[in-house]
Amino acid sequence: MSKIQSIRGMNDLLPGESSTWQYVERVVSEVFETYGYRLIRTPILEKTELFKRSIGEVTDIVEKEMYTFEDRDGSSLTLRPENTASCVRACEQNGLLHNQTQKLWYFGPMFRHERPQKGRLRQFHQFGVEAFGFDGPDIDVEVLAMTARLWKKLGLTDAVTLQLNSIGSLLARANYKQALVDYLSQYKDQLDEDSLRRLDSNPLRILDSKDARTQALLDQAPVLTDYLDEDSREHFQQLLTLLDGLGIRYEINPRLVRGLDYYNKTVFEWVTDKLGAQGTVCAGGRYDGLTAQLGGKETPAVGFGMGAERLVLLLEELKLIPSELDISADVYLCGVGNVQSYVLGLAESIRDALPSLKLVNHCGGGSFKSQLKKADKSGAKWALIVGENEASAAQVVLKSLRDDSEQLTLNLSDVTERLQSLFQSSK
Ligand code: ATP
Ligand code: MG
């Protein structure tokens, strides 16, 4: 019978890679938490309606990327393709936006039915931040400063560039959309196929087109910046001044529009040229209208999603994963003969006394030689060895695995103290 394989584009995280992920998760969560953002976790399944109403019916995500299926009662459910709408839903549902602001962060899997390739998966992971209840540009800048600090901590400052734009109010965008459609309609015969389709459904996405001819046409097209409403224009100006004040560098990209409908005013992407076509590591912006759109009270908001796989790829590519991520054990405990109960008791009492010691109990028996081989492979610095003689004498043998120092026979009562001093001096 053939073996069952995982679903295409949905990867396992194997033990060999997990320490890298744990490192990244630790650094990211430390940065977010030190800015006072608090963790939120929402279910990975939501009603399909939530994403349709937030992301937008004619976006790539909703049109062709969602994992949507019928529940047993016939209702339509979707595996979340992103987490902003879920955060808004959760906050509203639980009264978290009532007369208060929220600074939140999340981490977890997202699902999109895309063509799997480097940096693009069907189950991928995002870190993200959402700040609710702040309407000034200071919060946009805080969120950007927080990501800039994260790049610094990870050693990525020179590898990423901040691209910024303002896409204005809904009305400003509608005016611009019309102008863009009017302009491009004159050149229908020169547009690439995707852009032609988008001319009716989602014309702003044409600005993203990778097609050279379309891009050339866009050189003469009306520019979104010229259509901005006064409020958005001012917000953007202040944002730039504040960023300058912090020395955070950016490029203004008037063609940056993002693929989700709910954004307004500020949009941004942190991009890298080190990952080929999948160069956007972090993307976000303001979404002041979303909460009301989902039935709640008008609440200004800003946030971003950061692709964890792309972040890990980038760190690997630039060899920025610290080599001293120590995943090996400190002590490996071998039990030879009929000593199971003694060894288990010993292991637990050592754990009681030295809670941060990484102690691996061999388990499963076997010869002394084979156990010692495993001990060596575990990377542990010391082995504790118990045979039947040691067990009956309430003793244990301590052996260094990394130098030739002589092995010692210790009384049970001395073991933890000895380990503690060894452990401390090795740190
Ligand atoms: P892209 O243009 O690369 O498709 P997007 O505009 O669809 O990205 P968002 O929806 O804004 O991306 O998601 C934010 C971030 O999540 C992206 O910048 C990227 O780092 C990551 N991301 C999005 N889709 C995927 C995917 N299929 N696989 C891995 N990471 C992804
Ligand atoms: Mg996409």
Side-chain angles (χ1 to χ4, degrees):
M1 227 196 300
S2 64
K3 281 188 192 154
I4 297 170
Q5 303 282 317
S6 68
I7 298 165
R8 199 162 109 83
M10 303 204 178
N11 290 348
D12 302 304
L13 177 65
L14 302 175
E17 308 148 305
S18 55
S19 60
T20 297
W21 278 76
Q22 285 174 309
Y23 161 70
V24 173
E25 287 176 43
R26 193 178 66 243
V27 176
V28 175
S29 65
E30 271 170 18
V31 171
F32 293 169
E33 295 271 340
T34 53
Y35 275 73
Y37 287 66
R38 312 238 352 244
L39 179 67
I40 182 165
R41 284 193 185 140
T42 60
I44 56 171
L45 261 185
E46 297 273 1
K47 293 184 179 158
T48 304
E49 196 56 25
L50 177 68
F51 303 113
K52 283 196 174 167
R53 259 166 64 182
S54 55
I55 298 168
E57 296 264 10
V58 290
T59 55
D60 283 354
I61 295 179
V62 172
E63 264 187 349
K64 51 187 189 203
E65 294 174 1
M66 293 206 304
Y67 278 90
T68 296
F69 58 90
E70 229 178 60
D71 200 359
R72 287 164 197 269
D73 65 1
S75 56
S76 180
L77 303 183
T78 294
L79 280 165
R80 64 179 183 195
E82 59 107 43
N83 205 28
T84 299
S86 309
C87 285
V88 172
R89 195 237 355 103
C91 285
E92 266 300 319
Q93 187 173 335
N94 295 287
L96 301 189
L97 303 180
H98 189 65
N99 292 334
Q100 55 193 316
T101 57
Q102 292 291 342
K103 293 183 177 182
L104 307 171
W105 74 276
Y106 60 79
F107 173 67
M110 310 294 157
F111 303 84
R112 296 186 196 175
H113 199 283
E114 301 196 70
R115 191 171 68 77
Q117 55 196 289
K118 184 180 167 191
R120 194 175 292 288
L121 293 150
R122 290 182 172 175
Q123 176 176 322
F124 62 102
H125 296 74
Q126 278 182 351
F127 296 104
V129 154
E130 315 290 353
F132 294 100
F134 305 89
D135 58 9
D138 53 346
I139 191 78
D140 306 25
V141 174
E142 173 172 282
V143 158
L144 290 168
M146 189 159 71
T147 38
R149 183 170 300 277
L150 177 62
W151 308 141
K152 195 166 157 199
K153 280 215 165 187
L154 293 170
L156 289 173
T157 303
D158 293 335
V160 290
T161 313
L162 173 59
Q163 301 226 330
L164 269 184
N165 194 19
S166 175
I167 57 170
S169 66
L170 266 183
L171 181 64
R173 241 179 323 155
N175 290 338
Y176 173 68
K177 240 185 229 177
Q178 194 53 55
L180 185 67
V181 171
D182 290 346
Y183 168 80
L184 289 174
S185 299
Q186 309 169 67
Y187 305 102
K188 274 188 178 163
D189 52 332
Q190 295 176 46
L191 284 175
D192 64 279
E193 201 181 313
D194 265 349
S195 298
L196 193 59
R197 195 171 47 82
R198 284 175 169 153
L199 199 56
D200 291 324
S201 59
N202 196 355
L204 289 186
R205 281 303 289 216
I206 298 177
L207 300 179
D208 274 349
S209 168
K210 304 262 189 300
D211 184 83
R213 239 163 73 161
T214 300
Q215 277 296 332
L217 282 177
L218 288 170
D219 285 342
Q220 306 302 322
V223 183
L224 178 53
T225 322
D226 296 336
Y227 286 76
L228 289 190
D229 51 294
E230 198 44 44
D231 187 27
S232 299
R233 200 183 290 276
E234 205 169 295
H235 185 98
F236 197 49
Q237 237 355 288
Q238 287 174 7
L239 168 84
L240 299 183
T241 308
L242 292 171
L243 282 176
D244 290 337
L246 290 184
I248 296 176
R249 282 197 301 225
Y250 53 82
E251 282 171 12
I252 296 175
N253 176 357
R255 290 190 191 166
L256 181 67
V257 287
R258 311 282 308 115
L260 299 84
D261 274 359
Y262 52 62
Y263 288 116
N264 69 305
K265 290 187 178 162
T266 317
V267 290
F268 61 86
E269 289 191 357
W270 288 92
V271 296
T272 179
D273 57 7
K274 314 270 189 284
L275 293 180
Q278 272 56 253
T280 304
V281 182
C282 171
R286 238 178 206 287
Y287 49 96
D288 299 328
L290 181 57
T291 310
Q293 201 176 309
L294 291 173
K297 211 176 101 192
E298 195 83 34
T299 309
V302 62
F304 63 75
M306 186 185 290
E309 279 77 8
R310 292 188 196 176
L311 191 54
V312 168
L313 274 175
L314 187 58
L315 291 167
E316 282 170 352
E317 179 79 26
L318 300 175
K319 307 207 172 0
L320 289 169
I321 311 286
S323 53
E324 72 275 16
L325 285 180
D326 196 1
I327 50 160
S328 47
D330 297 309
V331 176
Y332 195 95
L333 178 54
C334 308
V336 186
N338 187 15
V339 293
Q340 274 183 348
S341 160
Y342 181 86
V343 163
L344 285 167
L346 174 65
E348 291 311 310
S349 62
I350 294 173
R351 294 186 214 283
D352 285 341
L354 304 171
S356 57
L357 186 85
K358 205 188 277 180
L359 172 71
V360 175
N361 185 8
H362 173 76
C363 293
S367 72
F368 174 61
K369 209 173 140 197
S370 70
Q371 291 197 34
L372 214 55
K373 239 189 193 164
K374 278 262 179 75
D376 188 47
K377 231 178 135 186
S378 77
K381 295 168 199 78
W382 303 284
L384 285 175
I385 302 154
V386 175
E388 287 174 4
N389 289 345
E390 284 77 19
S392 56
Q395 289 180 326
V396 57
V397 172
L398 175 69
K399 178 180 166 57
S400 168
L401 293 166
R402 305 296 152 204
D403 62 36
D404 296 333
S405 55
E406 210 158 318
Q407 64 181 45
L408 289 172
T409 300
L410 301 170
N411 287 325
L412 212 45
S413 51
D414 299 332
V415 175
T416 56
E417 204 175 312
R418 175 58 70 116
L419 283 179
Q420 184 156 35
S421 65
L422 284 173
F423 184 47
Q424 269 163 4
S425 63
S426 80
K427 286 274 142 178

